[in-house]
Amino acid sequence: MSVLFSLTGPRDLRALSEEQLSTLADEIRDLLITTCARTGGHLGPNLGVVELTMAIHRVFDSPRDRVVFDTGHQGYVHKLLTGRAGAFDALRSEGGLSGYPSQAESDHDIVENSHASTALSYADGLAKAYRIQGDDRHTVAVIGDGALTGGMAWEALNNIAIAKDSRLVLVVNDNGRSYTPTVGGLTTALTSLRTNPRYEPFLETVKERLNAVPGVGPAAYDTLHAVKRAVKDALAPQGLFEDLGLKYVGPIDGHDRAALEQALTQAKRFGGPVIVHAITRKGHGYQAAEEHEADQFHSPPPFDIETGEEKPRGAIWTDHFADHIVEVGARRPDVVAITAAMMHPVGLDKFQAAYPESTFDVGIAEQHAATSAAGLAMGGLHPVVAVYATFLNRAFDQVLMDVALHRCGVTFVLDRAGVTGDDGASHNGMWDMSVLQVVPGLRLAAPRDVTRLKELIDEAVEVDDAPTVVRFPKGPPPDDVPAIDRAGTADVLVREGERDVLIVAVGSMASVAVDVAERLHAQGIGVTVVDPRWVKPLDPALVELAAAHRLVVSVEDNGRVGGVGSVLLQTLNDAGVRTPVRLHGIPQEFLGHAKRAAILERIGLTPQALARGIVEDIALADVSADAAALLDAESAR
Ligand SMILES: Cc1ncc(C[n+]2csc(CCOP(=O)(O)OP(=O)(O)O)c2C)c(N)n1
């Protein structure tokens, strides 16, 4: 039996011999590679933390000691060591293991949200809670150098620095990369440690000195600390963390498990907050990942293990945006682009290649991205901020106060809007059309196909006195859905038979609505389908159309609460239109991971389910219309 599959939990790690431990590391890497080759997933980050995670679980006693992984995408090794190796083959599949830590899966998982830069704050709170209750357990936070670029991480460090009694070990997993190399002044400070030619010899010296440390305890810590100070003084004169008053141990070779264990043990004994700086290599141990230039297999789709080649896929929305924004840049030199550490995933790499001076990677700093964009706009440029829809949540106040209140012409491009599926609850882009509804002056567009994507991006970058937003989903776009007419700024896509049902279809739901219309028409129900294109503000022409139909149905891939449908309902109500309205969208729940199509099926956003619901609703609408007519007649008598 393999070492990995013989483990019943992390405590078993302590009984393993050196040889078994190194076999275990190999087995973990094999399983990571073979599984991710099939399921896709965060392979590179996990290959980089094999030794680190083993060391943490040998030194600390999870789940009594709490281990919090920032972002959580690097938590696969932790899953394997905490009793979930047997379930790993169903990684990221419906009913199988989540791609992030998950409270429902294990007591060893405490934090499961995958928005970055939060681990230090969670850990700060946990450690304070244990201290106040006289509980001597430890809290370990593992944060990457990428996540460390997020403002929250620094807010946490500022507080942790004065929480002297917190039993906190903060492991900085420094691989020099987010997806692409991490950028910024902080990174320069961290990188100076790794790139200094004296680093390797120094590591050897550190190791020798540490190996000479007899046992553990405050004296040993002092010894270690003295060694560390010497290392740091020589290599990091700015004293990045020490200037904040935080104890620092490192840099440690993050693939030398024994050295890591020594450092972690010393940090554990200290009894207050300590930073352990581990230098790791993303993709370590798998050549194809290590050599993958764009992101070292940060999160590949299924791939061929031998060649490392990703299974071919067709063009997705991102690719079309990527090409188009380069064209926009060619005719509009004032257009600049901002990414929050996701140059390739949001498709700005081509823009960067064409206009390097006009492209900014701000790190995992969506708030800064928004307000910096406001500044760029005030300075006479037109910024395009491209982020995943879910991550814009971070910057709500900045969009509201810094961009909208100041009437800045900034275009936000939201990729992965709507249901995304595999990455679970936190990655669904189902909040943007609700939270952005409340922003005065902001205009929001949801293209239904590639032609509209280009058209709406062009229209958005023309707006120079308000924020504009263009949002589109994950995956390949549908074939173009031509308009047969216009109603104000909205496109009419279908007009069949009587004016029974008006379907207001938002973005990617437009092609679904056309399918629904065919089904309804086949049953003798008259139907009109409109795509508002700009869903905020709604064009008044929609009110007139709604008044002329017997039932209005809105369909959007956004939460039902506060989304386009609910604003339409409010608008119709304000205008005194009495046509009944049915809202279809994503239920306001945290949706578990599954394929996008499976989730859409589950929540009823498929042509079949929608058509069925509308047939029932039109019957109900008839009944209530009859009842209303009776009441009117009654009150007139
Ligand atoms: C708020 C937020 N923005 C963007 C992301 C997308 N994202 C996931 S992992 C990652 C890079 C993380 O880099 P790092 O913390 O260094 O971890 P590594 O993958 O290098 O181990 C990014 C940008 C996110 N999870 N959260």
Side-chain angles (χ1 to χ4, degrees):
M1 195 188 200
S2 73
V3 181
L4 177 58
F5 284 90
S6 70
L7 297 177
T8 59
R11 281 191 190 160
D12 293 353
L13 287 171
R14 297 184 197 162
L16 299 181
S17 66
E18 278 302 314
E19 196 188 337
Q20 286 172 313
L21 287 166
S22 97
T23 306
L24 176 63
D26 291 345
E27 289 173 1
I28 290 173
R29 284 203 165 85
D30 279 351
L31 189 59
L32 289 173
I33 295 166
T34 49
T35 306
C36 291
R38 222 174 1 88
T39 62
H42 288 104
L43 179 58
N46 280 285
L47 288 170
V49 296
V50 175
E51 289 77 16
L52 179 59
T53 313
M54 286 169 63
I56 288 171
H57 278 301
R58 272 167 56 85
V59 172
F60 294 92
D61 183 24
S62 174
R64 184 174 147 44
D65 291 329
R66 310 292 349 207
V67 186
V68 181
F69 288 93
D70 199 288
T71 313
H73 64 304
Q74 74 292 61
Y76 299 177
V77 185
H78 164 78
K79 292 192 185 219
L80 294 176
L81 297 178
T82 51
R84 285 168 274 179
F88 201 65
D89 63 334
L91 178 70
R92 301 170 87 233
S93 330
E94 190 166 12
L97 290 185
S98 151
Y100 294 89
S102 157
Q103 292 179 350
E105 277 175 23
S106 171
D107 286 347
H108 294 275
D109 296 3
I110 181 160
V111 169
E112 60 180 59
N113 91 323
S114 57
H115 285 207
S117 316
T118 61
L120 304 188
S121 300
Y122 278 118
D124 173 53
L126 281 163
K128 283 176 176 161
Y130 296 139
R131 178 172 52 73
I132 286 170
Q133 295 169 91
D135 190 332
D136 66 355
R137 65 176 102 184
H138 283 83
T139 305
V140 182
V142 180
I143 182 165
D145 56 295
L148 206 52
T149 59
M152 266 189 85
W154 291 88
E155 294 168 30
L157 285 173
N158 188 42
N159 284 278
I160 290 168
I162 53 167
K164 298 285 181 209
D165 299 331
S166 284
R167 291 171 180 267
L168 255 181
V169 177
L170 312 178
V171 180
V172 176
N173 169 29
D174 179 7
N175 56 23
R177 302 183 75 100
S178 290
Y179 279 71
T180 44
T182 311
V183 288
L186 157 70
T187 313
T188 314
L190 288 177
T191 307
S192 68
L193 292 169
R194 334 181 61 203
T195 53
N196 192 305
R198 289 172 295 172
Y199 168 59
E200 287 303 334
F202 251 112
L203 268 190
E204 281 313 307
T205 316
V206 172
K207 227 190 297 181
E208 278 165 27
R209 299 281 290 273
L210 289 179
N211 285 337
V213 173
V216 284
Y221 180 81
D222 288 346
T223 310
L224 171 93
H225 196 56
V227 173
K228 249 334 298 149
R229 187 168 266 290
V231 173
K232 200 187 77 58
D233 285 351
L235 298 177
Q238 300 115 329
L240 185 64
F241 296 111
E242 281 199 356
D243 284 352
L244 276 172
L246 283 160
K247 299 292 174 203
Y248 169 94
V249 182
I252 315 287
D253 177 349
H255 299 295
D256 182 339
R257 191 189 36 75
L260 283 168
E261 282 181 30
Q262 269 175 316
L264 290 169
T265 304
Q266 302 300 332
K268 179 179 171 182
R269 299 276 161 165
F270 179 65
V274 182
I275 303 250
V276 176
H277 184 185
I279 310 294
T280 62
R281 282 179 298 280
K282 208 163 189 164
H284 184 63
Y286 180 41
Q287 201 180 348
E290 288 186 40
E291 290 173 358
H292 191 261
E293 206 177 308
D295 66 9
Q296 293 183 329
F297 273 24
H298 178 88
S299 180
F303 59 90
D304 181 284
I305 295 177
E306 291 306 313
T307 62
E309 272 174 31
E310 294 170 8
K311 299 268 180 327
R313 62 157 174 82
I316 58 172
W317 283 91
T318 316
D319 300 317
H320 296 285
F321 163 68
D323 290 337
H324 190 64
I325 199 67
V326 173
E327 284 173 32
V328 172
R331 63 169 190 272
R332 286 277 304 268
D334 62 319
V335 165
V336 293
I338 301 180
T339 170
M342 298 184 76
M343 194 72 78
H344 292 82
V346 299
L348 282 181
D349 49 316
K350 288 186 178 169
F351 190 90
Q352 183 190 36
Y355 320 107
E357 297 295 319
S358 302
T359 313
F360 304 99
D361 177 353
V362 296
I364 307 181
E366 288 80 5
Q367 296 173 307
H368 168 75
T371 305
S372 170
L376 285 159
M378 288 168 176
L381 300 176
H382 190 103
V384 173
V385 181
V387 291
Y388 281 9
T390 184
F391 299 136
L392 189 76
N393 293 355
R394 274 283 166 88
F396 170 71
D397 187 56
Q398 285 72 12
V399 172
L400 179 69
M401 295 301 171
D402 305 340
V403 184
L405 176 75
H406 290 84
R407 298 173 172 276
C408 292
V410 175
T411 298
F412 293 91
V413 172
L414 307 187
D415 198 332
R416 291 354 184 232
V419 171
T420 54
D422 299 320
D423 281 318
S426 63
H427 271 59
N428 289 313
M430 56 178 276
W431 330 97
D432 58 297
M433 290 203 290
S434 302
V435 296
L436 295 174
Q437 287 293 350
V438 302
V439 180
L442 179 143
R443 300 178 212 184
L444 197 156
R448 65 178 179 272
D449 56 24
V450 173
T451 300
R452 260 43 61 170
L453 170 72
K454 296 177 185 171
E455 195 176 277
L456 289 164
I457 293 270
D458 290 349
E459 290 175 29
V461 296
E462 288 302 319
V463 177
D464 62 6
D465 60 353
T468 47
V469 179
V470 180
R471 56 108 72 186
F472 50 81
K474 182 180 175 177
D479 291 341
D480 270 9
V481 184
I484 56 168
D485 200 358
R486 267 276 162 114
T489 53
D491 276 347
V492 179
L493 308 182
V494 175
R495 195 183 281 129
E496 292 283 3
E498 299 295 308
R499 293 187 157 199
D500 294 324
V501 183
L502 171 70
I503 305 181
V504 178
V506 176
S508 66
M509 289 292 120
S511 49
V512 174
V514 170
D515 188 338
V516 172
E518 278 169 23
R519 291 163 194 264
L520 295 178
H521 187 54
Q523 297 191 44
I525 297 172
V527 57
T528 308
V529 177
V530 283
D531 164 13
R533 296 168 67 258
W534 287 96
V535 296
K536 180 182 181 317
L538 284 171
D539 195 287
L542 292 179
V543 176
E544 284 169 40
L545 269 177
H549 286 77
R550 290 159 60 210
L551 175 70
V552 176
V553 174
S554 67
V555 192
E556 63 193 299
D557 55 351
N558 181 77
R560 287 177 75 239
V561 176
V564 177
S566 71
V567 171
L568 174 66
L569 178 61
Q570 201 174 337
T571 310
L572 296 181
N573 189 44
D574 288 350
V577 175
R578 288 170 67 180
T579 315
V581 182
R582 292 283 178 272
L583 315 183
H584 294 274
I586 305 174
Q588 225 65 39
E589 291 165 16
F590 290 115
L591 302 168
H593 64 279
K595 287 280 163 230
R596 180 167 184 264
I599 294 179
L600 291 177
E601 179 102 42
R602 200 199 305 157
I603 62 179
L605 286 183
T606 59
Q608 300 86 328
L610 288 165
R612 206 179 316 120
I614 292 171
V615 170
E616 286 166 17
D617 285 338
I618 194 102
L620 268 177
D622 286 345
V623 172
S624 32
D626 290 349
L630 266 177
L631 276 175
D632 283 351
E634 199 56 35
S635 56
R637 280 207 296 160

